[in-house]
Amino acid sequence: MKKIVLNLCFLLICIVIAGCSNKGDTKRDKEGTRKEYQDTVDEKKEPFKEENFSVWTTYWDAENIDNEIGSLQEHIDNICYFAAYFNEDQQPFIPEKVTKTFARMNTDFKSFTFKSYLTFVNDLLLEDGSSSLKDTGLLYTLLSSEEARSNHIDEILQMTIQGGFDGIEIDYEGMKKDIALWKLYIQFISELYQTASAKNVLVRIVLEPGVPVEEQLDFPDGPDYVIMCYNLFGYGTEPGPKANKEFLLKMINKMEGFPGKVNFAVATGGFDFAKDGKVVQVTEKEAVKLVKEYSRTPERDEESKSLVFSYMDNSGMSHEVWFADKETIQYWFDVIKESGDYELSIWRIGGNIFE
């Protein structure tokens, strides 16, 4: 009898010990699961992978960008301040909002070493207050002679240096297939780079997707070249994403053999395509607001990883909305990086959900 009791006691002790051991394992399992879950949450908070890139800020949407810059600050190499353009006398000027944004970024993020570029565009402010965008007549005036180019270079260099920027970004657009103007522009790029380099000022050149590289234009080595990889669909097209894999690969192939290290720029936001043909740009936040307002559920397009949804507005008009989120941008980055050691840019900061 005593032996049986002893055996029972021993068995109970073993059960208790085993139970304590299991509780310890369970606690470790829960902590392990909790840690893994927290790691996952932290990863989701990180907007992108290890890529570094350039970003643009714009004069019309610069009031509430600090959170986005803060979310991306570990990834940002350059901030390009968009933009200086031209008054009715064809003289370049920097909008006050650009100057204020630049000063604020230098104050709020002074511990970071972002390079800064002042972007120049060929938009012309007319006497009546309207604008002539991508004005090629202005470009002919600025670039048609060696003297005109020299004066223009001196002017924009002085503005850049006095403004405290590290570099000049030239975003002159609308030349399309005007080869005579392209040749003048290339001469300007070459002269600008030589003059700016002597003053330790950096140079970036932005090119539209339709740049006629097939014409054997002799772009000079030296500047950083940025190709716009967006607006595959948009104004005047059927509904669709700003970019997809096929389009990105086409742009990469187009720029193969281009001098220097090419930078590929992708775009945030998207477009709202109405049935009547009206097309309106939307930021990610504006698209998400529409999703909530009309109780829609976006789907992710396989070829572009963009989000798409449809809704009927209060007047009975149907709409189709395509827009990018951080998963879309990351996918586009992946397509580009898998094709080569290319640099990256994001057009633009403002209206995104990167937190």
Side-chain angles (χ1 to χ4, degrees), residues 96-167:
E96 185 180 1
K97 288 184 178 180
V98 172
T99 304
K100 287 184 175 179
T101 303
F102 178 56
R104 193 172 80 248
M105 292 298 103
N106 284 340
T107 300
D108 294 351
F109 300 97
K110 59 185 176 183
S111 62
F112 287 85
T113 55
F114 308 138
K115 294 292 185 184
S116 59
Y117 287 80
L118 177 60
T119 304
F120 290 84
V121 298
N122 56 318
D123 294 349
L124 187 60
L125 185 65
L126 303 177
E127 290 185 16
D128 61 3
S130 63
S131 298
S132 176
L133 305 180
K134 303 179 183 181
D135 193 300
T136 54
L138 171 65
L139 293 184
Y140 269 109
T141 299
L142 297 174
L143 311 179
S144 58
S145 69
E146 183 177 352
E147 181 182 4
R149 291 192 300 272
S150 178
N151 290 338
H152 183 44
I153 289 168
D154 289 344
E155 203 164 36
I156 61 179
L157 263 173
Q158 184 178 9
M159 289 174 63
T160 302
I161 293 169
Q162 288 183 352
F165 298 91
D166 299 303

Side-chain angles (χ1 to χ4, degrees), residues 252-268:
I252 292 166
N253 182 64
K254 181 171 187 170
M255 301 305 290
E256 189 173 340
F258 213 80
K261 199 166 188 178
V262 179
N263 188 305
F264 291 87
V266 300
T268 60

Side-chain angles (χ1 to χ4, degrees), residues 265-276:
V266 300
T268 60
F271 291 97
D272 182 328
F273 299 86
K275 187 69 174 177
D276 64 357

Side-chain angles (χ1 to χ4, degrees), residues 268-311:
T268 60
F271 291 97
D272 182 328
F273 299 86
K275 187 69 174 177
D276 64 357
K278 184 178 180 181
V279 179
V280 178
Q281 287 207 58
V282 291
T283 65
E284 181 186 1
K285 287 183 177 178
E286 289 169 340
V288 169
K289 184 178 179 181
L290 289 171
V291 166
K292 293 177 180 177
E293 181 179 352
Y294 293 98
S295 301
R296 310 309 297 165
T297 302
E299 298 179 353
R300 195 169 294 278
D301 174 60
E302 184 61 30
E303 276 297 304
S304 67
K305 296 297 187 287
S306 295
L307 292 166
V308 57
F309 66 94
S310 300
Y311 70 95

